[in-house]
Amino acid sequence: MPVSAAQSARSILNDLHEVMASRANAQSKLNRVVDVIGSNLDSEVCSIYLLREGMLELFATRGLDQDAVHVTRMDIGEGLVGTIALNAETLNLAEAAAHPDFSYRPETGEDRFHSFAGVPIVRRERAVGVLAVQHAEPRRYEEVEIEALQTVAMVLSELIANAGLVDEDEAARLGPALTGPERLTGLALVKGLGSGIAVFHQPRVTIEHVVAEDTEAERQRVYLAFDRMRDQIERMAQQAEFGVGGEHEEVLETYKMFAYDEGWGRRINEAIDSGLTAEAAIERVQQRTRMRMRQIDDPLLADRMHDLEDLANRLLRIVSGQLGTAATVGLKQDAILIARNLGPAELLEYDKRRLKGVILEEGSLTAHVVIVARAMGIPVLGRVRGLRGKLREGDALLLDGDSGMATVRPSPPMVEAFEARFAKSRERQAAYTALRDVEPFTRDGTRITVMMNAGLRDDIPNLALTGADGIGLFRTEFQFLVSATLPARERQTRLYRDVLDAAGDRPVVFRTVDIGGDKVLPYLRHNSGELEENPAMGWRAIRVALEREGLLKAQARSLLEAAGGRTLNVMFPMISEPWEFEAARDVFESQVAFLRARRKPLPQAIRYGAMLEVPALAECLDVLAPRLSFLSVGTNDLTQFLFAADRSNPKLAERYDWLSPAILRFLARVLHSVAGHRVDVTVCGEMGGRRLEALALIGLGIRRLSITPAAVGPIKELVRKIDIDEITAAMQGWLSSPPANMRAAITEWANARDIDID
Ligand code: PEP
Ligand code: MG
């Protein structure tokens, strides 16, 4: 009757239990371990090699010459044993000597043995040793035997760690599979440079106990963990109501498929049967899956493998109670955060002083997490494929958000070169700082208003640092996003007042809450409880505010009170039709009446504005313009609606260009529609913070920009090089007969005039 892997592992583990419980010293335990394994697997040879002083040393053997113990040593990567440690991979060979890495060690007397199987002994993801069996007969070991060996190797890793037989720090330095520098390339989402150690947003769980005391209890723990994990996934799928879409949905589908996969659960159960703890069983099955997947060279499958890794890690976190993200634990040193994707609120949980960069597998330029990172001055590299397989927690990282790449485990010369660039970039920053008090006039004397975008209390100092002309977009929803509960009116008032105080004479434009889309508030449930297929085009921004009038009223009161005695600029997001603007303004006016009746201080003046983000509004601008004090063009949303391209869908991240004739012509028409009305027009989307785009906008006739604080200096510098008549004429030419590549044409134009547009 064939034995199962669980049975053979079980019988070895039973015997090992006794060995481990005995009071013998570590060496005699290892001597007994090789006997137990050898006899159970009917192998003439069983040997344990452990890492010592950077080399793999034969620590115990049954079947090889005993004189070789503590004498035979090999480098990582040398011979079969060294290869197993280097790649942290199993070898199973009918004829050992036929393998190209075979290296013969005469002192062991191993020439009599033909077959060879070895598995790595892994501790904290690093190989700390190798467990090998050999046999005189040339035969490949059965899969059940290999699996039993792998299970035993897990147990051994615990025994070895408890006995302090290997130096784990040394093992960490000798990390087998991931060594040496590696370059990661992706899409530069937020420019800038940063260095630190890699920290996984979802940390990997460390498994402390491998051998179970009570198998039934372990089984129950896994059942419960599966239940909780499935619940979490169902909830994630429901929360998809707010702006996920695209790849996220595929991921959720895959998650579901794995979470309910019976085969996975069964294999974990079998591993528990063999005597492992729930954690070790999950990891054991994961190791086996990893091994199998590695043999299949298919990028699609590799992606799915990441999903399964994510899920196995989630299951491990639940079962071990090691919940929470790296933010919960806190950053101990300068760090680069690694994640598949993040929400804006998740990013805000990190300690800004230690967070030096973010690398994402997904991400797009206008996703809110990226906007938040930009506001925080944290470089972000996105769209790095297979990211999490290329580095380990704690690896050194240099992130170059300017050129869209990062270097893992850099060599000293690479670090030096990076430091030099860092110093240069700081110099450039200092040059921008010097522009702080310089007013941005074009060469021909036109004053361009350069304001900054903000949303957090932390942004306030940027006003003084950049010398921006004010805050052209204050995203009030950020306060809601970082809050665990709906911010009370007093808290809102306090923030708005502090912002106004800091701005002094400079204007601040408060945008009423723009939630929904990719800005999810866990405490604000969807009104009808229904899922939305297209949340970016769904119940969000002014649509939510007009329906949840209490929310808008409270915000109106807070803003009116905060701006007592001053000018209040209020702007409504996602206005599609004039009546929405009027309805929102009425909510404010009713609060004005309320405060007036109570003789409360009121703003000296209230200026109402609308955001142009929905193309439909452009068709009615002539109707709305007389009622507006200002119009702010949100090119992030406008672009997604003009092109019908979800701004948070990474697959579309690079597809459409802000410098396309469609957008530029659209903006030209908008300016034409409001010409003759006393309406200030500002562009407050991310587009305005990029030099080439800003040049184009000025060419179109835009004179007011509100941009990310880090861009204020570079844009001021740009403005001072522009001649308005020249760029206006060029733009008119491009608009009437668009070049095949608008970006290339404008770049060439700027280069010819020595205008720096990088
Ligand atoms: C925009 O859509 O361009 C905009 C400025 O608003 P947000 O990015 O916050 O949606
Ligand atoms: Mg918007």
Side-chain angles (χ1 to χ4, degrees):
M1 197 179 78
V3 285
S4 72
Q7 275 168 323
S8 59
R10 173 96 243 168
S11 72
I12 301 177
L13 289 193
N14 275 340
D15 293 347
L16 282 187
H17 250 308
E18 275 173 41
V19 178
M20 291 191 336
S22 77
R23 299 175 58 179
N25 66 23
Q27 180 66 53
S28 25
K29 279 186 188 172
L30 288 184
N31 294 344
R32 291 193 41 209
V33 166
V34 290
D35 264 339
V36 166
I37 301 169
S39 61
N40 268 282
L41 291 187
D42 197 16
S43 275
E44 282 146 345
V45 177
C46 176
S47 314
I48 295 174
Y49 296 81
L50 296 182
L51 195 63
R52 174 136 86 182
E53 290 163 359
M55 295 192 86
L56 289 158
E57 181 173 311
L58 180 63
F59 259 66
T61 185
R62 145 193 162 121
L64 294 184
D65 201 327
Q66 289 303 320
D67 289 344
V69 172
H70 297 301
V71 172
T72 295
R73 305 178 82 212
M74 51 198 88
D75 276 321
I76 307 273
E78 183 192 356
L80 298 179
V81 167
T83 305
I84 292 167
L86 176 68
N87 302 327
E89 257 177 33
T90 298
L91 279 184
N92 182 8
L93 310 167
E95 190 54 75
H99 192 278
D101 292 326
F102 177 77
S103 99
Y104 174 55
R105 291 305 180 96
E107 74 275 12
T108 60
E110 63 181 339
D111 41 335
R112 293 183 291 121
F113 306 107
H114 292 272
S115 60
F116 173 99
V119 297
I121 302 171
V122 177
R123 184 85 190 150
R124 301 193 200 283
E125 296 182 70
R126 309 290 212 267
V128 292
V130 171
L131 170 66
V133 286
Q134 288 171 272
H135 207 277
E137 236 176 82
R139 66 159 179 119
R140 268 172 73 87
Y141 281 84
E142 302 273 329
E143 200 164 317
V144 284
E145 294 174 296
I146 297 292
E147 289 190 11
L149 271 181
Q150 289 170 332
T151 303
V152 170
M154 285 187 87
V155 177
L156 274 179
S157 81
E158 185 176 336
L159 181 141
I160 289 162
N162 289 345
L165 286 177
V166 291
D167 179 348
E168 287 185 28
D169 289 344
E170 181 192 335
R173 282 195 299 279
L174 289 170
L178 298 176
T179 50
E182 178 156 347
R183 186 147 280 182
L184 309 175
T185 50
L187 185 63
L189 297 178
V190 179
K191 290 192 170 197
L193 304 173
S195 66
I197 58 157
V199 169
F200 284 75
H201 174 59
Q202 307 274 12
R204 279 195 67 81
V205 170
T206 38
I207 299 173
E208 295 304 335
H209 298 294
V210 176
V211 183
E213 306 266 320
D214 176 351
T215 296
E216 211 31 57
E218 297 301 317
R219 204 188 308 284
Q220 287 309 319
R221 291 177 65 216
V222 166
Y223 282 149
L224 280 175
F226 258 103
D227 280 350
R228 279 190 60 190
M229 182 181 70
R230 287 170 186 155
D231 272 358
Q232 283 182 359
I233 290 165
E234 296 297 340
R235 237 176 301 131
M236 272 158 73
Q238 277 165 19
Q239 279 169 5
E241 70 189 74
F242 279 123
V244 278
E247 270 184 7
H248 285 273
E249 260 154 40
E250 282 171 34
V251 170
L252 277 175
E253 275 311 306
T254 318
Y255 274 13
K256 269 196 189 167
M257 189 183 82
F258 285 133
Y260 288 95
D261 176 39
E262 284 177 12
W264 189 28
R266 195 189 56 242
R267 281 190 290 278
I268 293 176
N269 245 321
E270 281 172 5
I272 289 182
D273 276 341
S274 73
L276 297 180
T277 57
E279 288 88 342
I282 296 165
E283 177 58 24
R284 174 74 202 80
V285 170
Q286 202 49 23
Q287 274 177 3
R288 178 178 134 170
T289 316
R290 253 177 240 140
M291 212 172 77
R292 296 199 163 174
M293 297 297 252
R294 234 175 260 149
Q295 289 153 4
I296 311 169
D297 185 19
D298 177 339
L300 261 179
L301 268 181
D303 269 358
R304 294 292 78 91
M305 184 61 202
H306 282 309
D307 298 338
L308 183 58
E309 287 275 354
D310 256 9
L311 218 57
N313 212 12
R314 182 179 287 265
L315 193 62
L316 265 178
R317 283 203 307 275
I318 296 173
V319 92
S320 63
Q322 297 176 38
L323 301 166
T325 65
T328 329
V329 183
L331 300 176
K332 309 269 182 307
Q333 49 182 309
D334 286 357
I336 307 281
L337 193 64
I338 309 296
R340 178 198 277 274
N341 215 337
L342 284 175
E346 285 177 308
L347 180 68
L348 289 165
E349 279 169 19
Y350 283 91
D351 177 354
K352 198 176 145 192
R353 287 161 306 171
R354 295 218 162 119
L355 187 59
K356 300 297 174 191
V358 176
I359 309 185
L360 302 174
E361 258 168 48
E362 301 181 352
S364 63
L365 272 177
T366 54
H368 278 99
V369 63
V370 173
I371 292 176
V372 172
R374 198 171 289 128
M376 290 163 81
I378 295 171
V380 182
L381 181 65
R383 315 278 294 139
V384 179
R385 288 187 74 83
L387 167 66
R388 287 165 301 165
K390 292 182 175 157
L391 39 72
R392 290 210 186 91
E393 185 90 30
D395 275 347
L397 259 173
L398 306 175
L399 169 57
D400 181 346
D402 292 343
S403 43
M405 58 181 147
T407 312
V408 195
R409 301 174 295 273
S411 63
M414 289 171 167
V415 175
E416 216 171 282
F418 186 83
E419 292 294 334
R421 288 200 47 210
F422 218 161
K424 268 240 171 71
S425 125
R426 275 192 289 260
E427 256 171 47
R428 224 176 311 133
Q429 285 308 324
Y432 294 142
T433 312
L435 288 177
R436 194 180 50 191
D437 302 320
V438 174
E439 287 193 51
F441 282 100
T442 57
R443 274 183 24 222
D444 50 302
T446 307
R447 176 71 159 85
I448 305 292
T449 303
V450 182
M451 296 179 287
M452 62 170 236
N453 295 343
L456 298 168
R457 184 175 288 279
D458 282 0
D459 294 330
I460 300 176
N462 281 326
L463 256 180
L465 288 172
T466 59
D469 286 317
I471 298 179
L473 166 64
F474 190 87
R475 291 181 163 103
T476 58
E477 67 277 4
F478 280 6
Q479 186 188 26
F480 289 63
L481 276 173
V482 296
S483 238
T485 54
L486 203 69
R489 202 151 48 77
E490 294 69 32
R491 260 175 67 210
Q492 294 184 44
T493 311
R494 217 175 311 132
L495 174 66
Y496 305 149
R497 187 171 288 138
D498 291 348
V499 174
L500 286 167
D501 285 348
D505 293 340
R506 289 173 288 185
V508 178
V509 178
F510 290 98
R511 172 175 78 184
T512 57
V513 279
D514 178 5
I515 41 181
D518 63 346
K519 288 179 276 197
V520 187
L521 296 187
Y523 48 83
L524 189 76
R525 298 287 312 152
H526 191 290
N527 209 26
S528 57
E530 283 166 20
L531 297 185
E532 288 186 290
E533 278 196 22
N534 291 301
M537 293 198 281
W539 194 67
R540 57 170 288 205
I542 198 66
R543 302 167 185 180
V544 175
L546 289 178
E547 205 175 299
R548 294 280 173 100
E549 225 186 65
L551 190 78
L552 191 58
K553 272 187 187 160
Q555 187 166 36
R557 277 272 290 287
S558 310
L559 284 168
L560 291 166
E561 284 178 16
R566 312 187 241 214
T567 299
L568 173 64
N569 295 286
V570 192
M571 162 162 99
F572 304 117
M574 286 275 289
I575 297 292
S576 313
E577 294 195 316
W579 71 265
E580 290 168 324
F581 171 81
E582 278 156 26
R585 194 190 50 192
D586 288 349
V587 172
F588 269 72
E589 287 299 317
S590 69
Q591 292 306 306
V592 171
F594 177 89
L595 291 173
R596 183 172 288 130
R598 280 158 188 76
R599 299 187 184 286
K600 297 271 183 175
L602 281 169
Q604 207 179 59
I606 308 177
R607 300 177 76 237
Y608 293 105
M611 282 192 80
L612 175 64
E613 297 172 284
V614 180
L617 184 66
E619 301 299 330
C620 298
L621 267 183
D622 54 328
V623 181
L624 187 61
R627 284 164 253 173
L628 290 178
S629 294
F630 59 92
L631 182 74
S632 198
V633 188
T635 46
N636 304 337
D637 275 313
L638 183 63
T639 314
Q640 82 167 338
F641 297 132
L642 264 184
F643 280 116
D646 183 348
R647 65 192 266 188
S648 56
N649 183 338
K651 278 193 192 144
L652 302 176
E654 290 155 278
R655 195 173 183 105
Y656 302 106
D657 193 343
W658 276 314
L659 294 179
S660 67
I663 299 203
L664 298 180
R665 284 179 163 190
F666 185 93
L667 293 176
R669 280 204 305 125
V670 166
L671 287 172
H672 185 73
S673 318
V674 296
H677 296 279
R678 293 166 55 91
V679 178
D680 291 335
V681 181
T682 305
V683 168
C684 66
E686 300 307 296
M687 177 181 180
R690 296 160 70 103
R691 294 214 247 203
L692 195 61
E693 281 80 348
L695 174 64
L697 290 172
I698 291 171
L700 283 173
I702 295 286
R703 299 290 176 261
R704 301 167 63 85
L705 297 171
S706 187
I707 56 185
T708 192
V712 170
I715 294 294
K716 276 189 178 186
E717 192 184 71
L718 168 89
V719 165
R720 285 152 53 86
K721 300 215 172 116
I722 296 178
D723 182 288
I724 292 269
D725 288 345
E726 229 185 348
I727 183 66
T728 308
M731 183 53 75
Q732 271 163 9
W734 291 322
L735 287 182
S736 54
S737 54
N741 184 337
M742 185 73 92
R743 177 168 293 273
I746 308 178
T747 305
E748 197 184 317
W749 187 91
N751 286 342
R753 282 155 191 81
D754 238 357
I755 300 178
D756 192 358
I757 35 91
D758 285 333

